[in-house]
Amino acid sequence: MASVISILVAIMSALLTFYLANRLTLNDSMDSKSGWRKELMDIASKDEITLADIYRIRASVRYYPHLKPTQLSFRWMTNLIIKLCNEYLVGIYKDKRVRSYERENGNNSLSKVTISPENDEIVRIICRYLLKYHWEARQKMRIFRRGRDLMNIDDDEPSESAARTIQLILEQVKKMDDNQNNDSSKDIKKIIDETLLEAKSYENTSNYSNKM
């Protein structure tokens, strides 16, 4: 009887080892083929952000927002990133591209492209958050969740990293205020406040919000 149990345990261990190796290989393959992490790392390390970078970030998250996310969860952060891209960052960097084109084509009335460095840093912060979350989720892989795509993680637990990311963004917003770039800072604050209010209207709220 003991020998039978030993054989069964050995078989189960071998199957589990094979399953884990297969899942890790699959997710590594998905990363290498899509270039998801590489593109975000490239954006996070760039000196100057472009409109194409904003479109890459928008493409790296969901097609549409989550419904009823828990405040400061990954779902909630995904919704915030979508809002920031769609309602603020695309417009800012599209305007930058237009002004750059007009400057290069001799329009002296638009001789200077005025995009604050704080906007660039907000984009880098978003990329660093996505990379950090993705890396940590890989370390805590739920091995028995079939078909789990680690590039589209569906986590609704609040986290301190999300709260810290919002703090970092708000630090850049304060710099905009200090530099008299009030219109941009108001737009970002409005988007963050709207996303926070949406989450507060649901039952699940986060203790981390008190730290902000």
Side-chain angles (χ1 to χ4, degrees), residues 21-33:
N22 185 58
R23 291 303 304 276
L24 290 170
T25 301
L26 174 62
N27 283 297
D28 286 341
S29 176
M30 289 169 63
D31 271 349
S32 62
K33 288 180 180 178

Side-chain angles (χ1 to χ4, degrees), residues 181-207:
N181 194 356
N182 302 108
D183 289 339
S184 292
S185 67
K186 287 178 183 177
D187 289 340
I188 298 174
K189 286 177 184 174
K190 180 181 176 183
I191 291 170
I192 293 175
D193 288 343
E194 286 176 352
T195 313
L196 284 168
L197 286 173
E198 286 174 6
K200 285 179 180 177
S201 67
Y202 312 132
E203 290 185 359
N204 294 327
T205 56
S206 168
N207 293 329

Side-chain angles (χ1 to χ4, degrees), residues 41 62 68 78-79 86 91 96-97 130 163 171 181 188 196 208:
M41 289 183 73
R62 285 171 61 90
K68 299 184 179 181
T78 298
N79 286 4
N86 291 351
K96 177 181 179 180
R97 185 174 70 175
L130 290 171
E171 286 173 11
N181 194 356
I188 298 174
L196 284 168
Y208 292 121

Side-chain angles (χ1 to χ4, degrees), residues 54-84:
I54 306 303
Y55 285 140
R56 286 191 186 96
I57 294 171
R58 179 62 187 88
S60 73
V61 293
R62 285 171 61 90
Y63 175 59
Y64 51 86
H66 289 281
L67 297 176
K68 299 184 179 181
T70 300
Q71 190 179 104
L72 296 177
S73 65
F74 183 74
R75 286 187 181 187
W76 183 87
M77 285 295 293
T78 298
N79 286 4
L80 176 63
I81 292 168
I82 290 172
K83 277 181 173 286
L84 284 172

Side-chain angles (χ1 to χ4, degrees), residues 40 44-45 121 123-133 165 168:
L40 287 179
S45 61
E121 186 58 25
V123 175
R124 296 187 196 102
I125 290 168
I126 290 171
C127 288
R128 289 196 292 267
Y129 168 78
L130 290 171
L131 289 165
K132 173 181 170 60
Y133 192 90
T165 299
L168 292 171

Side-chain angles (χ1 to χ4, degrees), residues 162-183:
R164 180 56 182 154
T165 299
I166 299 301
Q167 287 179 328
L168 292 171
I169 291 174
L170 291 176
E171 286 173 11
Q172 298 305 312
V173 169
K174 183 172 186 308
K175 289 181 181 179
M176 291 181 183
D177 285 336
D178 293 343
N179 295 330
Q180 306 299 313
N181 194 356
N182 302 108
D183 289 339

